[in-house]
Amino acid sequence: MSLRLTPEQQRLSDEVRDFADTVVAPAAYKYDTLRELPYEIIGQMGEMGLFGLPFPREYGGQGRDYVDLCLAVEQLARVDQSIAVTLEAGVGLGAMPVFRDGTEAQKQEWLPMLTAGTALAGFGLTEADAGSDAAGTRTTAVLDDGQWVINGTKQFITNSGSKITRLVTITAVTGESVRADGSVKKELTAILVPSGTPGFTVLPAYDKVGWHTSDTHPLRFEDVRVPEANLLGERGRGFASFIRTLDEGRVAFAALGAGAAQGCLEEAVRYAKSRNVFGHPIGENQHIAFTIARMQTRVHAARLAWFDAATRLAAGRPFKLEASLAKLIASEAAMDNARDATQIFGGYGLMNENPVARHYRDSKILEIGEGTTEIQLMVIARELGFAGASGAPR
C-alpha cells in the first residue's frame, strides 16, 4: 500500500487481508446465496479485536484509531462488502454514538459487548421522508412519568435485526419551536432503544439488489417505552450528533469503496493474465491493459482520499470536506471498477459465484448509503462557499 503506515498498522492490514482471503472469501458466495449473516465469521472478527479497534481499552477496545478501522474495512471489502459493512456499521454507527455521547453508565453497559463483537447496534436515522433531509423526521418521543414513549418508523437500518443485535439508537422529535419567520423547528433527540422492548418491532429483512449478507430491516415503534435515562447526549442535540456520526461514517465508507475497487482490480488482473483468446492472454490486448491501468488509478486515488480523511479525523483536525471527497471518489471508483471488471470477464462476469458479479451488485449502494453522491456534492460545494448549493426549495 502506498501509505505511510506504522509497523503496527501494516501488521493489522496484513492480518486482516490474510483473514479475508482464507476465511471470508471462501464462504462469501455461500452466505450471499443464503442471505444470512455468518455469525461464526463475525465471532472470529470479534476475537481479532476488529470491533474494538478505535475504542479505549477500558471499554474492551484496542486503543487504536480510525485509520486502523479503515485499514480493516478496506481489506475485508476486497472480498465481501457485506462483511465489511457489518464491521463499519457496527463500529461507526452502532458503538461510536454510545462512546461519544453516552453517559458513563451507558458506556459501561453497552460498549464491552459491542467492542467484543458479541453484540451489534443499529443507527436509526432514515425514514420514508427523512434521510438526507433529517428535518423530515416524524418519529416522536414524549416524556411520560419518567419514560420516553416512542412512536414512528425507520427504514434501511443496518445491523438492526440480527440474532446478536442488542440495541438501536434512534432520532426522534421531542419538541417543536417557532422561528422568527414563522417556520417550525423540530427538536431532534437521540435515544437508546434496546432490542426486545415491547412495541419495538423489527420488520422482515429487505430483498436487496446487493449486500445480501448484511442485516438490513425496517423498524416500527408503537408506544415503545424506555427510561428517560436512555437519552443519548443532550436533549435537542440529536441532529448534531448524528451529523458527526455520518461524517465519520463516510470516511470508513470510503475505505470500503477503495477495498471493493481493489478487489475488482485484483480479479481483473488475474483473469487478464490467465484467459487466453486467439492464442494470447487477453491482457496483451491494449484496450484490456489500459482499462486495468485506469482501474489502478481509481484505487490509488480512493485509498489516498480515505487515508487523508482518516488521519485528519484521528488527529482531531477538521475533516468534513475530506470525508465527502473521499466518499465520492471511492464510491465511484468501486462502481466503475466493478463495471470494468465485469466487462473484462465477459459472460463469466455475470455468474453470481464470480466475485466481480457480487461487487457489481454490491457497489451501487456505495453511491447511496451514508449520504448519496448528490449530498456529497452539496457538502463539497458548501465547503467551497456556495451557500445555496443544496438546491432546496426556498
Side-chain angles (χ1 to χ4, degrees):
M1 298 178 70
S2 53
L3 310 175
R4 287 184 175 272
L5 302 183
T6 67
E8 292 79 10
Q9 289 172 330
Q10 189 63 61
R11 280 194 294 272
L12 171 67
S13 182
D14 292 342
E15 178 185 1
V16 179
R17 182 182 181 88
D18 180 68
F19 175 76
D21 289 340
T22 59
V23 177
V24 179
Y29 176 57
K30 170 187 173 181
Y31 285 102
D32 183 78
T33 302
L34 294 173
R35 301 192 176 207
E36 293 179 2
L37 189 64
Y39 293 100
E40 68 278 11
I41 291 178
I42 299 302
Q44 289 178 265
M45 291 163 58
E47 292 172 1
M48 293 171 66
L50 301 187
F51 286 92
L53 281 170
F55 301 105
R57 295 185 183 277
E58 63 188 286
Y59 301 117
Q62 299 297 307
R64 300 179 74 154
D65 62 25
Y66 223 80
V67 175
D68 299 272
L69 172 64
C70 289
L71 289 169
V73 168
E74 180 181 337
Q75 292 294 5
L76 292 171
R78 288 186 309 107
V79 301
D80 193 332
Q81 291 187 44
S82 289
I83 294 298
V85 79
T86 299
L87 173 62
E88 184 271 336
V91 174
L93 302 182
M96 192 59 73
V98 178
F99 171 66
R100 187 186 309 106
D101 298 321
T103 64
E104 187 59 31
Q106 289 169 339
K107 294 177 185 178
Q108 293 292 345
E109 179 179 5
W110 297 110
L111 286 180
M113 67 178 78
L114 295 176
T115 59
T118 57
L120 293 173
F123 177 82
L125 172 64
T126 304
E127 300 181 9
D129 296 314
S132 300
D133 179 14
T137 299
R138 294 186 179 181
T139 298
T140 60
V142 179
L143 273 177
D144 178 47
D145 194 24
Q147 294 184 314
W148 292 107
V149 182
I150 304 168
N151 284 280
T153 60
K154 298 291 180 179
Q155 63 182 19
F156 309 140
I157 310 303
T158 304
N159 293 344
S160 59
S162 75
K163 291 192 295 187
I164 58 174
T165 298
R166 295 293 176 265
L167 78 154
V168 175
T169 300
I170 67 161
T171 48
V173 179
T174 53
E176 294 182 345
S177 59
V178 179
R179 298 186 180 93
D181 63 1
S183 62
V184 175
K185 177 183 179 181
K186 293 181 178 179
E187 176 187 81
L188 295 179
T189 299
I191 300 172
L192 298 174
V193 183
S195 300
T197 302
F200 172 21
T201 304
V202 178
L203 299 171
Y206 292 102
D207 182 12
K208 297 172 294 187
V209 169
W211 283 9
H212 290 163
T213 302
S214 173
D215 178 80
T216 318
H217 296 262
L219 309 175
R220 184 170 63 224
F221 303 88
E222 297 175 298
D223 291 330
V224 174
R225 288 180 170 268
V226 298
E228 184 177 358
N230 280 30
L231 173 73
L232 185 64
E234 299 179 30
R235 177 169 177 167
R237 293 288 297 169
F239 179 74
S241 175
F242 272 50
I243 288 297
R244 167 79 184 194
T245 298
L246 288 173
D247 286 341
E248 291 182 354
R250 287 166 186 164
V251 180
F253 227 62
L256 198 160
Q262 175 71 39
C264 291
L265 171 67
E266 292 175 7
E267 291 295 325
V269 168
R270 178 189 61 78
Y271 190 71
K273 290 181 177 180
S274 62
R275 169 67 167 164
N276 290 306
V277 175
F278 301 119
H280 298 281
I282 61 172
E284 293 184 8
N285 181 301
Q286 187 182 72
H287 173 70
I288 299 294
F290 281 10
T291 296
I292 293 175
R294 194 172 295 280
M295 293 171 69
Q296 174 67 79
T297 65
R298 297 182 190 125
V299 171
H300 187 70
R303 181 171 293 134
L304 293 179
W306 80 246
F307 189 74
D308 176 48
T311 52
R312 286 171 176 270
L313 191 166
R317 298 167 59 195
F319 69 95
K320 187 180 187 70
L321 171 61
E322 290 73 18
S324 284
L325 289 167
K327 202 272 185 181
L328 179 63
I329 292 167
S331 61
E332 291 186 345
M335 193 68 246
D336 289 344
N337 275 16
R339 183 188 62 248
D340 284 346
T342 302
Q343 190 71 22
I344 288 170
F345 270 83
Y348 292 117
L350 301 178
M351 302 298 105
N352 280 328
E353 64 268 23
N354 190 326
V356 303
R358 191 167 61 251
H359 277 306
Y360 188 78
R361 289 186 283 104
D362 289 348
S363 293
K364 183 56 192 174
I365 195 173
L366 296 173
E367 297 182 314
I368 297 172
E370 299 274 5
T372 63
T373 293
E374 291 74 22
I375 288 295
Q376 306 317 312
L377 292 169
M378 182 189 76
V379 171
I380 295 165
R382 282 181 173 177
E383 291 291 313
L384 292 172
F386 296 100
S390 68
R394 293 171 179 263

